[in-house]
């Protein structure tokens, strides 16, 4: 048995905002943002769009690809949606905090009647946490065969747009992967699908990246005046240090545990938070920059959506060939981290 990623899709807001546009209303410059982060633009939602809308778009895109490319027997994306057993949605910006899960809204709108659906809150590691959760749910029950794993975030709604050290970093987006339990080998030299995953957390970094308002730690009190919507606060340098260290450790650990060299890995797909984080980790490990897939220039940090957006771009641009070994590396609020090796 193998758990394979068979199709991918994405949904990116059409509104593209360049650094120069931000610099018109904020004390920043295109030069500062590019040189400190590698970001050139970001895509932002309009005020009618919520997390589940983007997630739904990404889901249809992935299901549509599976049908168009003849990867499934179902004749339409709608018919394929009906066969889903699991939907897992990684997000830190759901439609509603608490309940219901945005995954349930997606499940209903897709028309997936026999399906469990849940959100996962693991910051930018949400997609990797989602992959492992969905894989486990498929593996433990014989009757479950198909899952949709989505990463979707609309952090532009939860940012202090006066705080130049955070607001320039984030963009909105969603992407999805169809996961199937197949008869391919999950072990041995011919193994396919997700072959190894490491997940972890370090909650001592609670204060490094958090949304203070809206939760039970800091509830609203009657009469209180709130002049800013709930928004993320970040200790940029602490997150930076954690991210570089974590990327290095995850790459080394995945290779050592799998008993392969870096040459066996076609591409590393890291979370796109800051190009400098990726470059610093690459330099420490002597990995050429071309080995890392990067699209942060266009999308900025789309949080849980960043890795699946990258995967979908690679997939649709012919950069993924059957049999390629791909490494996914994530880190995020929590603090959380995760790494996966998969055979495409
Ligand atoms: N434009 C111009 N100047 C700026 C800006 C800006 N947008 N932002 C900060 N500055 C200024 C600061 O005010 C500071 O000025 P000062 O020296 O006069 O005080 C100066 O630039 C340097 O600030 P630093 O914070 O030291 O800048 P640094 O080089 O550390 O870069 C950054 C900041 C980009 C935030 C970096 O620390 C970083 O990328 N950290 C990781 C962030 C991250 O990955 N977050 C996502 C985590 S994943 C998730 O779950 C969402």
């Amino acid at each position: 048995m193998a758990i394979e990623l068979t199709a991918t899709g994405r949904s990116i807001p059409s509104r593209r905002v360049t650094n120069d546009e931000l610099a018109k209303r904020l004390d920043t410059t295109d030069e500062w943002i590019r040189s400190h982060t590698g970001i050139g633009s970001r895509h932002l939602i309009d005020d009618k769009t919520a997390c589940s809308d983007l997630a739904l778009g990404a889901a249809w895109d992935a299901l549509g690809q599976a049908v168009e490319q003849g990867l499934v027997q179902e004749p339409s994306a709608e018919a394929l949606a009906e066969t889903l057993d699991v939907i897992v949605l990684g997000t830190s910006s759901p439609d509603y905090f608490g309940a219901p899960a945005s995954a349930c809204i997606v499940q209903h709108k897709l028309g997936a009647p026999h399906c469990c659906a849940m959100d996962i809150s693991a910051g930018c590691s949400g997609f990797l946490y989602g992959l492992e959760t969905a894989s486990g749910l498929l593996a433990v029950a014989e009757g479950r065969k198909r899952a949709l794993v989505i990463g979707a975030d609309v952090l532009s709604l939860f940012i202090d747009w006066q705080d130049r050290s955070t607001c320039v970093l984030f963009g909105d987006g969603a992407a999805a992967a169809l996961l199937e339990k197949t008869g391919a080998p999950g072990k041995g030299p011919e193994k396919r699908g997700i072959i190894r995953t490491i997940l972890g957390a370090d909650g001592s970094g609670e204060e490094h990246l958090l949304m203070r308002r809206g939760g039970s730690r800091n509830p609203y009190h009657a009469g209180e005046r709130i002049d800013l919507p709930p928004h993320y606060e970040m200790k940029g340098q602490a997150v930076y240090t954690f991210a570089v260290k974590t990327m290095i450790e995850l790459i080394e650990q995945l290779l050592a545990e799998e008993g392969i060299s870096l040459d066996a890995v076609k591409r590393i797909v890291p979370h796109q938070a800051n190009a400098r984080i990726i470059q610093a980790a690459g330099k420490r490990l002597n990995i050429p920059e071309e080995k890392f897939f990067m699209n942060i220039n266009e999308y900025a940090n789309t949080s849980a959506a960043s890795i699946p957006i990258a995967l979908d771009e690679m997939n649709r641009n012919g950069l993924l060939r059957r049999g390629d070994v791909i490494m996914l590396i994530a880190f995020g609020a929590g603090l959380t981290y995760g790494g996966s090796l998969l055979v495409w």
Side-chain angles (χ1 to χ4, degrees), residues 27-28 32 36-37 123-124 164-165 168-170 209 234 236-237 239-240 271 273-274 276-277 301 303 331-333:
D27 182 15
T28 189
W32 192 98
H36 284 73
T37 69
C124 303
R164 65 179 183 173
S165 63
V168 302
L169 302 177
F170 296 102
L209 184 49
M234 185 177 71
Q237 283 175 2
V239 178
Y240 185 97
H271 168 48
N274 185 331
R276 278 170 51 212
I277 292 174
N301 178 352
S303 193
F331 51 86

Side-chain angles (χ1 to χ4, degrees), residues 12-310:
I12 307 289
S14 57
R15 190 172 141 231
R16 181 171 183 270
V17 178
T18 62
N19 294 339
D20 282 330
E21 282 172 81
L22 283 189
K24 285 182 194 153
R25 51 185 153 98
L26 195 69
D27 182 15
T28 189
T29 60
D30 176 57
E31 198 282 320
W32 192 98
I33 300 171
R34 277 184 197 277
S35 60
H36 284 73
T37 69
I39 295 167
S41 61
R42 69 284 297 140
H43 292 247
L44 304 180
I45 52 164
D46 59 41
D47 57 8
K48 293 183 190 64
T49 306
C51 176
S52 72
D53 300 320
L54 284 189
L56 184 68
W60 281 129
D61 201 37
L63 298 175
Q65 184 189 71
V67 172
E68 278 157 30
Q69 297 189 353
L71 304 168
V72 292
Q73 287 178 344
E74 285 69 19
S76 67
E78 290 76 10
L80 180 55
E82 281 180 32
T83 70
L84 290 172
D85 302 298
V86 175
I87 297 175
V88 181
L89 168 52
T91 185
S92 322
S93 46
D95 291 22
Y96 307 100
F97 281 104
S102 299
C104 294
I105 298 168
V106 173
Q107 175 265 336
H108 170 65
K109 291 187 177 171
L110 279 178
H114 315 294
C115 182
C116 67
M118 72 180 92
D119 288 356
I120 288 197
S121 170
C124 303
S125 311
F127 181 74
L128 282 199
Y129 269 62
L131 275 185
E132 186 73 344
T133 304
S135 301
L137 286 166
L138 292 183
V140 293
E142 208 180 323
R144 293 194 200 114
K145 296 197 173 356
R146 276 186 180 142
L148 201 54
V149 181
I150 310 170
D153 265 309
V154 288
L155 291 185
S156 69
L157 294 174
F158 302 102
I159 280 173
D160 174 1
W161 282 99
Q162 302 304 315
D163 176 6
R164 65 179 183 173
S165 63
T166 55
C167 74
V168 302
L169 302 177
F170 296 102
D172 301 328
L178 182 64
L179 235 61
E180 299 206 64
K181 186 162 66 180
T182 70
K187 293 193 177 110
E190 301 297 315
K191 65 187 164 191
R192 299 197 48 80
I194 300 169
I195 56 175
R196 185 170 297 276
T197 296
I198 297 167
L199 296 179
D202 177 6
S204 70
E206 170 187 356
E207 295 265 337
H208 291 357
L209 184 49
L210 89 167
M211 186 142 75
R212 241 171 253 285
R213 295 313 308 245
S216 58
R217 176 68 58 201
N218 199 356
Y220 173 77
H221 298 290
E224 192 178 355
R225 180 170 168 265
I226 295 178
D227 53 6
L228 261 181
H231 59 274
Y232 279 97
E233 295 166 37
M234 185 177 71
K235 294 183 180 147
Q237 283 175 2
V239 178
Y240 185 97
T241 306
F242 166 80
V244 175
K245 178 173 167 286
T246 302
M247 269 195 74
I248 293 169
E249 288 172 358
L250 281 168
I251 293 171
E252 287 181 327
Q253 199 182 338
L254 279 169
L255 294 175
E257 285 186 6
E258 192 56 26
I260 57 173
S261 75
L262 194 67
D263 292 341
V265 177
K266 177 87 180 298
R267 291 303 278 273
I268 302 174
V269 185
H271 168 48
Q272 314 278 316
N274 185 331
R276 278 170 51 212
I277 292 174
I278 299 166
Q279 286 152 354
K283 204 166 162 197
R284 272 283 302 280
L285 293 173
N286 243 333
I287 303 175
E289 208 170 317
E290 313 81 72
K291 193 97 177 176
F292 295 96
F293 181 83
M294 280 203 249
N295 60 9
I296 188 169
N297 176 45
E298 177 65 24
Y299 301 113
N301 178 352
T302 54
S303 193
S306 103
I307 287 178
I309 289 174

